């Protein structure tokens, strides 16, 4: 996670954050194939985060898969 994050942070300029286009990276992450991975553990949880400072919280489903060789996918 640190390498992509540091790459992203090093490419930032004074342009507004809204101009950063992460759609292509997100789509590549979201549509990647997981069929070849042998999952040893699958952890699924939900966290509730407020969308606004005083607003109600919304549930976000999180999932982690850990392969037999220790990789997280």
């Amino acid at each position: 996670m640190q390498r992509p994050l540091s790459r992203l942070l090093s490419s930032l300029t004074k342009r507004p954050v809204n101009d950063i286009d992460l759609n292509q990276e997100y789509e590549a992450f979201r549509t990647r194939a997981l069929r070849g991975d042998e999952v040893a553990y699958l952890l699924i949880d939900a966290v509730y985060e407020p969308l606004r400072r005083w607003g109600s919280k919304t549930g976000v489903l999180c999932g982690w898969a850990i392969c037999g060789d220790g990789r997280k996918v």
Side-chain angles (χ1 to χ4, degrees):
M1 179 72 184
Q2 286 184 340
R3 287 183 188 152
L5 183 60
S6 64
R7 185 181 70 218
L8 176 66
L9 292 177
S10 67
S11 68
L12 290 179
T13 62
K14 291 185 179 182
R15 65 187 176 156
V17 173
N18 292 341
D19 290 347
I20 299 172
D21 184 20
L22 297 176
N23 288 334
Q24 187 176 19
E25 288 185 43
Y26 170 72
E27 280 301 313
F29 173 79
R30 190 181 69 80
T31 59
R32 72 193 191 283
L34 299 175
R35 287 195 173 106
D37 296 320
E38 291 188 30
V39 175
Y41 298 98
L42 179 62
L43 307 162
I44 298 179
D45 197 2
V47 294
Y48 288 85
E49 297 291 335
L51 294 178
R52 293 191 168 81
R53 185 176 218 176
W54 306 112
S56 62
K57 294 183 177 184
T58 299
V60 178
L61 184 64
C62 305
W64 299 266
I66 302 173
C67 297
D69 61 2
R71 289 180 302 115
K72 296 175 189 167
V73 293

